[in-house]
Amino acid sequence: MKKIIFLIKLGKEGKLQITEPSDEISESYLKKSESHLESAKILLNSQKLEECVSMAYYGMYHILLALLFKCGIKSENHSASILILEELFKKKDLAQEIKFGKKERIDKQYYTDFKLTKPDCEDMIKRAERFIIEIKNIIKHLSQADSIALKEEMNDSLTENEKNVK
């Protein structure tokens, strides 16, 4: 129930919205995802390891946003987006991968007490590549009817639970 309350709160703040599905916005986030992954590889080759981790994560995050927009879900919160992947799409394994990427990005971006190696970054890039391929595959096989059904399920869940929370 705490997860739903979190999503309802974000909805009230305008950070989680049900919108019309958009192939155009989805495609824009797909391109952003590919650009960030490419940037991660360039940064790795330039020995910019901390930045490499961040870009690899953002490659993952933006492909997730592409999926959400494909279904008419606009999320401005990383944790909410991951929660939707896990709960609505029932992709717990993929959710765990992006949670790992998010933690790594936060650790490397905000803290200094770590040792980061080139193999660590190569692993992060491989994880991001696998994640992106998996999400692209979901998007590719998502019919318009599936997309609408997922959007409606999300909307119904938020609306129904909002009544129960009051």
Side-chain angles (χ1 to χ4, degrees):
M1 188 59 146
K2 285 186 349 183
K3 294 174 182 180
I4 293 294
I5 292 170
F6 171 64
L7 295 177
I8 291 168
K9 178 180 175 267
L10 289 175
K12 288 179 180 178
E13 294 172 359
K15 295 179 181 172
L16 180 62
Q17 300 173 5
I18 305 301
T19 65
E20 286 303 311
S22 175
D23 289 337
E24 185 178 319
I25 296 173
S26 179
E27 185 64 30
S28 294
Y29 277 107
L30 175 89
K31 288 178 182 169
K32 249 178 148 29
S33 172
E34 291 169 349
S35 176
H36 286 305
L37 183 60
E38 184 179 332
S39 294
K41 293 173 182 178
I42 292 167
L43 289 163
L44 175 65
N45 289 332
S46 299
Q47 299 299 313
K48 298 291 186 185
L49 303 183
E50 293 174 38
E51 296 84 352
C52 169
V53 170
S54 291
M55 285 297 102
Y57 167 72
Y58 278 109
M60 298 168 85
Y61 179 64
H62 285 116
I63 197 68
L64 177 53
L65 293 181
L67 173 62
L68 297 181
F69 269 104
K70 182 84 172 165
C71 297
I73 301 168
K74 178 183 177 189
S75 175
E76 297 176 5
N77 182 285
H78 293 242
S79 295
S81 301
I82 295 167
L83 181 60
I84 293 166
L85 177 65
E86 185 172 8
E87 299 295 327
L88 183 66
F89 289 88
K90 309 290 190 232
K91 299 294 182 183
K92 294 189 185 315
D93 54 335
L94 291 174
Q96 289 306 312
E97 276 301 306
I98 194 169
K99 283 178 187 178
F100 173 83
K102 180 182 173 204
K103 181 185 180 315
E104 286 297 298
R105 192 263 311 168
I106 290 170
D107 288 348
K108 303 322 179 253
Q109 188 171 348
Y110 297 113
Y111 303 107
T112 59
D113 59 338
F114 60 83
K115 183 175 188 310
L116 185 59
T117 66
K118 190 171 181 177
D120 293 334
C121 292
E122 291 167 343
D123 178 62
M124 183 65 190
I125 287 172
K126 284 184 178 120
R127 286 171 175 258
E129 287 172 330
R130 284 191 304 266
F131 183 86
I132 290 166
I133 288 168
E134 289 289 327
I135 298 294
K136 279 183 179 179
N137 196 39
I138 293 169
I139 291 170
K140 179 180 175 184
H141 292 97
L142 194 66
S143 70
Q144 187 172 7
D146 292 336
S147 176
I148 291 168
L150 286 162
K151 174 184 134 175
E152 288 174 358
E153 183 180 341
M154 179 76 185
N155 190 45
D156 292 348
S157 178
L158 290 175
T159 305
E160 182 180 314
N161 283 296
E162 186 173 10
K163 291 175 191 173
N164 295 334
V165 170
K166 290 182 181 178

